[in-house]
């Protein structure tokens, strides 16, 4: 998908076990590289920063467990969806609820979003222990629209035992 808005597909790469800038282990990072490079080009992310970098907030969040790009606002520019399946929600109040973070396109080259000091455009959370964001995908329907599919693998129901939940979203709510 095209998160930069230039009409060329971009790529998102996750390193879910990476530390954050404060040294929190397994916080996770996601790098976005804008498209347009020639075939056979080598991009060394250690030598040059990516176009966009998203950094996890806390130890064991595993930001980047799932990463998907899709146009869920239906404006022709894709959004970036990032799962942090072990994140603890707003203010760390819901242990392992998981988060699905959304960055609305277009994204601008040179952007760093450090979740310690900044927030994504939209954050979805599950109940404590739900682990939302374990997997995510964007699927294209026959009418050309896209749907976001996201799982919360351990969304517990104490009366029925343990089960997971898969949610399907036809478009993002207005921001």
């Amino acid at each position: 998908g095209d998160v930069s808005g230039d009409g060329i597909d971009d790529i998102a790469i996750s390193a879910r076990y990476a530390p954050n800038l404060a040294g929190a282990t397994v916080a996770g990072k996601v790098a976005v590289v804008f498209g347009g490079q020639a075939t056979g080009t080598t991009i060394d992310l250690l030598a040059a920063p990516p176009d966009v970098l998203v950094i996890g907030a806390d130890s064991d969040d595993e930001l980047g467990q799932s990463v998907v790009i899709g146009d869920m606002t239906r404006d022709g520019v894709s959004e970036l969806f990032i799962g942090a399946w072990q994140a603890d929600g707003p203010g760390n109040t819901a242990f392992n609820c998981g988060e699905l973070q959304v960055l609305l396109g277009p994204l601008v080259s040179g952007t760093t979003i450090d979740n310690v000091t900044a927030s994504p455009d939209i954050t979805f959370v599950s109940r404590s222990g739900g682990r939302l964001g374990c997997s995510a995908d964007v699927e294209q329907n026959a009418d050309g629209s896209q749907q976001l599919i996201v799982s919360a693998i351990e969304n517990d129901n104490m009366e029925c035992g343990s089960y997971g939940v898969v949610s399907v979203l036809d478009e993002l709510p207005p921001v």
Side-chain angles (χ1 to χ4, degrees), residues 30 54 61-70 72 79-90 94 96-104 115 119-127 130-138 147-153 165-173 175:
V30 173
V54 184
D61 279 357
E62 290 192 39
L63 180 84
Q65 167 67 24
S66 59
V67 178
V68 66
I69 295 173
M72 295 300 299
E79 286 70 50
L80 176 63
F81 300 89
I82 306 171
W85 77 309
Q86 295 194 135
D88 297 328
N96 281 350
C97 70
E99 297 176 1
L100 183 70
Q101 299 183 5
V102 183
L103 301 178
L104 300 173
N115 276 291
S119 297
D121 295 310
I122 301 171
T123 302
F124 292 95
V125 297
S126 180
R127 62 185 291 173
R131 296 181 192 253
L132 180 74
C134 179
S135 62
D137 196 11
V138 171
Q147 292 181 317
L148 173 67
I149 303 164
V150 62
S151 69
I153 63 166
V165 173
V166 174
S167 300
V168 177
L169 188 66
D170 284 323
E171 65 183 302
L172 288 175
V175 178

Side-chain angles (χ1 to χ4, degrees), residues 7-35:
I8 302 170
D9 284 344
D10 307 308
I11 188 168
I13 306 154
S14 82
R16 67 183 181 142
Y17 296 127
N20 69 11
L21 299 177
T25 59
V26 195
K29 293 180 182 176
V30 173
V32 178
V33 177
F34 294 162

